Amino acid sequence: MSSEITHEKSEVRNALFISHFALLNTVIHLALFIGAVLLYALTLNGDVQPADSGEFQIAAITLGIPHPPGYPLFTMLGWLFAQVPIGSPFARVSFLSVVASSLTLVVVSLTVQQALVSGRENAKRDSVFSPAHFLPLLSGIIAALALGLSTTFWAQATTTNIRSFTALFVSLMLLVSTNAHATRKATLLIAFAVVLGFGVGHHVSLVFIGATLGAFAGVEIWRGEERSRLKRVVPQAVIAFLLTQLVWLYLPLRDAAGARFAPGNLGTLDGLLFHIFARGFAGDMLAFAAPAYLFDRLALLPTLLTFQFSAPLLLLMAIAWAGLMARRRAIGIAWLIAFALHLFITITYRAPQTVEYALPCWVIACCALAGLAVWDERSYAPRDASNNMRRASLPHLTALFSLLLLIIAGFFAARDGVARWPSYLALGQDRSARADAEAVMHGAPAGAEVLSQWHQATPMWALQDIEGARRDVTVAYVFPRGAQPYPQTFAQQAAQSAQAHPTFITSFFERELQVLGAHAHPAPDAPAWQVEPAPITSAPIAIFDQRIQVVGVQDAAAIRAEAGAMFTLDFAWSISAAPRTGDAITVRIMRPDGRLAANADIAIPPDQTLGAVRVRRLALAAPMDLPPGEYEVLAGAYQSTPAGIVQLQTGEGREFVPLSQMTIAPASHPPATMHPIQQPGIISTMPRLIGVDYDTGRAGQVRVWLHWQLGANAQTVSLLDAAGQSLAAPQTLSAATSILQPQFLSLAFDVPPAGFMRESLTQSVLPNVNAGQRYVPFANQMVLVGSSMQRDANDLKLDLRWLSARPLVRDYIISARIAGEGLYQTHDSVPALGAIPTLKWIAGSRVMDRHPFALNGYAGSLRATVVVYDSVTQLPLPPLDERYDQGITVP
């Protein structure tokens, strides 16, 4: 009787514990979900968005059909969210990503818990805060924190996209398969089939992870006691999977109704399958699997990983994988195969968004953090009288070790999140897509046609379709045409359109337009150009050498720019006599001491029509060290001859004429730096040194960049060597022009190569200069911080290392160029061989960018240069170092 009472008390105690722990677990995960929703909602971009995001917004709000594979589940759910009468339609659809991402974090946490507590029946006799329960719970939260604050996951959670749903379905497949491993219940095969079905019904690429985890779940169930039930369960699972595929019926039904973006052929089986399986992109699958490409793609893996997670967190993930393989081998192997398979498919796929396509891999990697808590595995084993003494110390040590690792992982995940917060807050407030779209459409007359690349077309369509803006203007996306170069395709369509009606283009391919006899001039106050069948004419304000006529700038109002920022000028000129070889025009800004601050040159083409006015949009940037004040924008002309540069003059003997006035203000954001010294703080009387960088790109010279937060008073800065001797002339650091917000300015000192240095305001020792250090800022967008070259008889691989100065909202192309005796090659690419577009960069992102060249036996010397330009406007991103006026040399 006594034993029965004891057993009953034990059962009551166990039931009470289970209910308490279940309640605690529910509360914690509810808090996790709410916290994630609040975080992502605060950084949500709730306005119209560019490229695919704009298309998804239109499709969801109007029940349209996006590009293959069509995303029917996302579209229907997006439509439901769009019906909620709160906020703008764009914000409602974007909020779907918030919910999906927040749910993913909860599922990831539960997956980690399940992976750690499986098979621990004795654990239910412990207290809520015993290692058997507390560590798995903490592990799940840490894994969710690491994923939720990672770069790409956070970005997807705050925009309209379909990637958040791929992450959700992968996390659900992980959870169900892990449950199958723990319980070996046959009915879980049906649950997995449902999740896999909806996942594949969202994006077919999930079939690879699904097949791996499905096989894992099936094997685990086969090994259990319910093996005999599989004969009945497998057909049910197949039926469940097939039923989920009914979601694809959305496509032919909406296609028949003439939905937005409907291709018109989804009513046929061949047309439907073509769309679902994205056969139009079939040639991109495994396009980089050949050895000639694969090794370069594999070299990107460290960059892809560090782009998501900091180095300490990656190290802890490696330790966690070791723990999984040691103590949860079946789970570890299944997850590793799923991770590796999807990553291989991703890195060999030809598309400029590898870092985004690999999002399922980042989900699996964070789930693998469960391995940090398996090091206390022996503390979960049942106790007995024979090992009480041994277990008196060992369980506590192993549990503390796991706890320590988890706390460290949580610290680094939280630290990374804090560092990324300003970037995502800024991206959430960015309205450049709307501003650009509205500027282009409002500047076009009724009946005009606007030709755009995909990035600009979708936000203009969204404003037309959803808000009814400028429906009297036709917006057309210029599709690539097979093997024909895209600039040629774009120019042909623009020239043809200009014959029929006013035509505006958002991409300016000047050379291709000129070949067709078409001309284009910048549209005022809009990122576009108007195509004209014939050139325009206008009177000049100055004439150089009695033949080169400067017409001026289209908007001569004063220009305002911050130090380090890029600005544009629409400059016009003409010629009255046949141009000579080497004729060019220069537009520039000069420093107060007479040195060059910024310039843009225009080579006059030999076939320019006499008297015809050409208008060019020029990109210039104010140097980071340009003192605040008023400056003149000047224009001049010169002729490049074998003997040197001959500066041309006007009839009055002037070499330069003023075009406009401009005001330079200190930067409102701190510059990117490889050596931060202090974090920016409140404004004080004295300036604060916040960073230092070195550029060793010129032989026998080191440029030392000192980055400052300005103080209320101006200060003189001297750069001294270790002995206290001056290394360069002292410079004056300007006072802040406003006390409302911090302001920043950099100073550049050119000194001989030296050891440790210090600056005189604080007498602080600066970091030592290392060989090969680079610091070449391109406007206030990105900085070239290093380069290296690998060369053999047939191939050259140029690796550039970039540091992002801020969250980027423009899509930049990196153009690497090599020149030698009779050799000249260029390699223009989205960064990291297309893997990490600049649109994915946030402040502090570091990217290794590889550029391969085929030398074909060339053994001579080579000179490599780098140019960065906007993929849409084709405008160059100006470097902020006048020493590289003729090109940035690397390595």
Side-chain angles (χ1 to χ4, degrees):
M1 179 65 70
S2 175
S3 63
E4 292 180 0
I5 294 175
T6 302
H7 178 72
E8 289 177 0
K9 288 182 178 180
S10 176
E11 291 296 325
V12 171
R13 185 169 60 250
N14 288 342
L16 185 63
F17 165 76
I18 292 172
S19 64
H20 285 173
F21 183 77
L23 178 61
L24 176 65
N25 207 17
T26 301
V27 170
I28 289 177
H29 283 90
L30 181 61
L32 172 63
F33 176 79
I34 294 174
V37 168
L38 291 176
L39 173 68
Y40 297 143
L42 288 172
T43 54
L44 179 68
N45 188 317
D47 203 359
V48 62
Q49 295 160 29
D52 288 356
S53 293
E55 179 200 20
F56 293 142
Q57 288 176 325
I58 299 170
I61 295 170
T62 65
L63 283 177
I65 300 177
H67 67 271
Y71 312 105
L73 184 62
F74 166 85
T75 304
M76 289 186 284
L77 289 175
W79 180 84
L80 288 175
F81 271 69
Q83 307 314 303
V84 179
I86 301 175
S88 72
F90 303 118
R92 299 171 207 163
V93 176
S94 292
F95 196 73
L96 178 59
S97 299
V98 171
V99 174
S101 298
S102 301
L103 286 173
T104 300
L105 299 184
V106 173
V107 177
V108 163
S109 179
L110 294 174
T111 300
V112 170
Q113 277 188 271
Q114 184 62 66
L116 291 172
V117 302
S118 59
R120 295 172 184 163
E121 293 299 327
N122 59 295
K124 65 184 180 183
R125 296 193 294 270
D126 297 328
S127 68
V128 172
F129 295 105
S130 73
H133 296 282
F134 176 68
L135 285 177
L137 177 60
L138 179 62
S139 299
I141 299 302
I142 297 302
L145 187 68
L147 177 64
L149 299 178
S150 63
T151 306
T152 301
F153 189 90
W154 195 340
Q156 301 305 299
T158 53
T159 57
T160 304
N161 68 92
I162 52 87
R163 304 297 169 194
S164 296
F165 264 63
T166 63
L168 176 59
F169 285 119
V170 167
S171 67
L172 287 170
M173 285 190 281
L174 289 167
L175 178 61
V176 176
S177 60
T178 304
N179 268 315
H181 168 74
T183 66
R184 294 176 176 173
K185 291 183 178 180
T187 53
L188 286 173
L189 198 59
I190 300 175
F192 189 88
V194 171
V195 174
L196 174 62
F198 280 120
V200 172
H202 173 66
H203 202 288
V204 180
S205 66
L206 293 184
V207 69
F208 300 104
I209 287 179
T212 303
L213 297 179
F216 168 61
V219 169
E220 291 300 309
I221 294 172
W222 176 264
R223 295 172 58 192
E225 297 178 356
E226 298 188 0
R227 178 189 303 184
S228 60
R229 298 185 59 190
L230 286 177
K231 290 183 179 180
R232 184 173 67 256
V233 170
V234 169
Q236 294 174 350
V238 172
I239 293 173
F241 178 84
L242 294 176
L243 287 175
T244 62
Q245 301 310 292
L246 293 176
V247 70
W248 295 111
L249 291 177
Y250 169 88
L251 299 180
L253 291 175
R254 291 302 298 159
D255 187 68
R260 189 71 162 95
F261 305 122
N265 66 339
L266 302 185
T268 67
L269 180 60
D270 185 65
L272 181 61
L273 294 178
F274 188 91
H275 200 84
I276 291 174
F277 291 103
R279 290 178 184 169
F281 304 114
D284 296 330
M285 179 69 71
L286 301 177
F288 296 132
Y293 307 107
L294 182 59
F295 293 109
D296 286 336
R297 303 293 293 182
L298 291 175
L300 298 175
L301 288 181
T303 297
L304 289 171
L305 291 169
T306 56
F307 190 82
Q308 304 303 320
F309 311 105
S310 61
L313 199 54
L314 287 172
L315 177 60
L316 289 167
M317 285 181 179
I319 295 173
W321 275 110
L324 277 180
M325 300 303 288
R327 302 283 182 170
R328 289 288 186 275
R329 183 165 300 174
I331 292 177
I333 291 175
W335 288 4
L336 186 60
I337 292 174
F339 176 91
L341 181 59
H342 188 83
L343 189 59
F344 178 78
I345 296 297
T346 298
I347 65 173
T348 58
Y349 186 75
R350 183 171 50 206
Q353 293 179 349
T354 303
V355 70
E356 189 177 294
Y357 293 161
L359 186 58
C361 296
W362 317 142
V363 175
I364 298 173
C366 288
C367 285
L369 283 171
L372 293 180
V374 300
W375 296 102
D376 67 1
E377 181 78 9
R378 285 166 289 189
S379 66
Y380 301 142
R383 300 188 181 190
D384 56 49
S386 64
N387 67 358
N388 273 344
M389 294 301 293
R390 178 181 63 82
R391 291 182 54 78
S393 58
L394 183 60
H396 299 290
L397 291 177
T398 55
L400 286 174
F401 179 62
S402 293
L403 179 61
L404 178 62
L405 291 178
L406 289 170
I407 291 174
I408 294 173
F411 168 78
F412 283 112
R415 186 201 64 172
D416 297 342
V418 169
R420 291 163 184 156
W421 162 262
S423 291
Y424 287 111
L425 186 63
L427 289 172
Q429 298 169 349
D430 177 66
R431 297 295 180 266
S432 59
R434 173 181 287 272
D436 289 350
E438 289 181 338
V440 174
M441 291 194 298
H442 291 167
E449 182 174 39
V450 178
L451 303 180
S452 295
Q453 296 189 43
W454 185 248
H455 191 88
Q456 292 72 39
T458 59
M460 287 189 280
W461 286 335
L463 293 179
Q464 288 181 323
D465 291 3
I466 311 306
E467 297 184 357
R470 292 307 308 270
R471 291 182 174 174
D472 58 336
V473 172
T474 300
V475 177
Y477 164 52
V478 180
F479 291 87
R481 295 178 185 170
Q484 184 182 49
Y486 187 71
Q488 187 176 341
T489 300
F490 202 104
Q492 287 179 354
Q493 191 166 332
Q496 293 170 2
S497 176
Q499 300 296 329
H501 37 60
T503 299
F504 291 78
I505 54 177
T506 58
S507 296
F508 182 46
F509 300 106
E510 182 180 28
R511 195 177 311 163
E512 288 75 13
L513 284 169
Q514 290 177 357
V515 170
L516 299 172
H519 304 269
H521 60 267
D525 302 318
W529 289 257
Q530 182 172 5
V531 181
E532 296 283 354
I536 59 176
T537 59
S538 184
I541 62 172
I543 303 176
F544 289 91
D545 199 31
Q546 299 182 351
R547 56 194 179 84
I548 301 176
Q549 303 173 342
V550 171
V551 177
V553 291
Q554 288 189 343
D555 184 1
I559 304 165
R560 296 187 61 85
E562 292 185 357
M566 188 184 86
F567 59 95
T568 59
L569 289 172
D570 294 338
F571 175 75
W573 79 97
S574 64
I575 57 174
S576 58
R580 301 171 186 171
T581 302
D583 278 350
I585 300 174
T586 180
V587 176
R588 59 180 52 181
I589 303 168
M590 307 302 292
R591 296 177 182 270
D593 61 5
R595 293 182 297 124
L596 180 67
N599 82 294
D601 292 341
I602 304 171
I604 299 178
D607 58 347
Q608 181 167 337
T609 305
L610 301 184
V613 175
R614 292 279 183 90
V615 185
R616 174 81 63 84
R617 178 159 289 168
L618 302 177
L620 295 94
M624 296 166 57
D625 59 336
L626 190 62
E630 302 295 324
Y631 293 84
E632 281 189 326
V633 180
L634 306 172
Y638 65 89
Q639 185 180 14
S640 180
T641 69
I645 300 297
V646 177
Q647 198 71 39
L648 305 181
Q649 297 181 347
T650 66
E652 298 79 17
R654 293 185 296 173
E655 292 185 347
F656 294 94
V657 296
L659 297 175
S660 178
Q661 293 291 121
M662 75 173 303
T663 302
I664 299 296
S668 56
H669 293 87
T673 177
M674 294 292 289
H675 304 288
I677 295 178
Q678 297 181 22
Q679 292 297 319
I682 60 174
I683 301 175
S684 62
T685 302
M686 297 289 289
R688 302 173 61 216
L689 183 66
I690 61 172
V692 58
D693 290 285
Y694 305 106
D695 183 70
T696 60
R698 298 290 291 269
Q701 181 188 85
V702 175
R703 170 156 287 193
V704 182
W705 288 92
L706 300 180
H707 310 297
W708 299 87
Q709 179 179 324
L710 298 180
N713 300 321
Q715 300 288 335
T716 299
V717 177
S718 297
L719 195 64
L720 312 176
D721 62 16
Q725 300 298 313
S726 178
L727 290 168
Q731 297 188 35
T732 300
L733 188 66
S734 305
T737 60
S738 172
I739 61 173
L740 299 179
Q741 65 176 7
Q743 294 183 325
F744 306 91
L745 199 68
S746 298
L747 296 179
F749 294 86
D750 292 326
V751 302
F756 288 98
M757 294 172 286
R758 60 186 183 181
E759 52 82 23
S760 62
L761 277 181
T762 64
Q763 298 295 306
S764 58
V765 176
L766 302 181
N768 198 12
V769 182
N770 297 320
Q773 285 187 269
R774 301 302 304 269
Y775 190 84
V776 184
F778 284 77
N780 56 2
Q781 303 290 293
M782 54 201 296
V783 185
L784 178 67
V785 295
S787 60
S788 60
M789 188 179 293
Q790 307 169 42
R791 177 179 177 178
D792 57 31
N794 296 313
D795 297 291
L796 180 147
K797 300 184 189 304
L798 177 63
D799 292 340
L800 308 175
R801 292 184 290 279
W802 299 96
L803 173 66
S804 179
R806 58 180 55 215
L808 301 184
V809 295
R810 308 295 299 183
D811 191 14
Y812 294 114
I813 301 296
I814 312 298
S815 176
R817 305 166 183 188
I818 60 171
E821 187 68 30
L823 174 71
Y824 181 78
Q825 293 184 25
T826 64
H827 183 268
D828 292 18
S829 172
V830 168
L833 296 174
I836 313 178
T838 57
L839 288 169
K840 314 298 178 185
W841 296 14
I842 60 173
S845 293
R846 300 187 184 188
V847 176
M848 190 280 281
D849 172 37
R850 172 159 290 186
H851 295 265
F853 296 91
L855 298 181
N856 300 320
Y858 178 82
S861 61
L862 288 171
R863 179 176 182 266
T865 57
V866 177
V867 174
V868 181
Y869 63 91
D870 190 305
S871 69
V872 176
T873 65
Q874 305 296 297
L875 291 176
L877 192 59
L880 302 181
D881 192 328
E882 76 286 347
R883 299 176 305 158
Y884 299 121
D885 184 46
Q886 301 302 315
I888 312 297
T889 54
V890 293

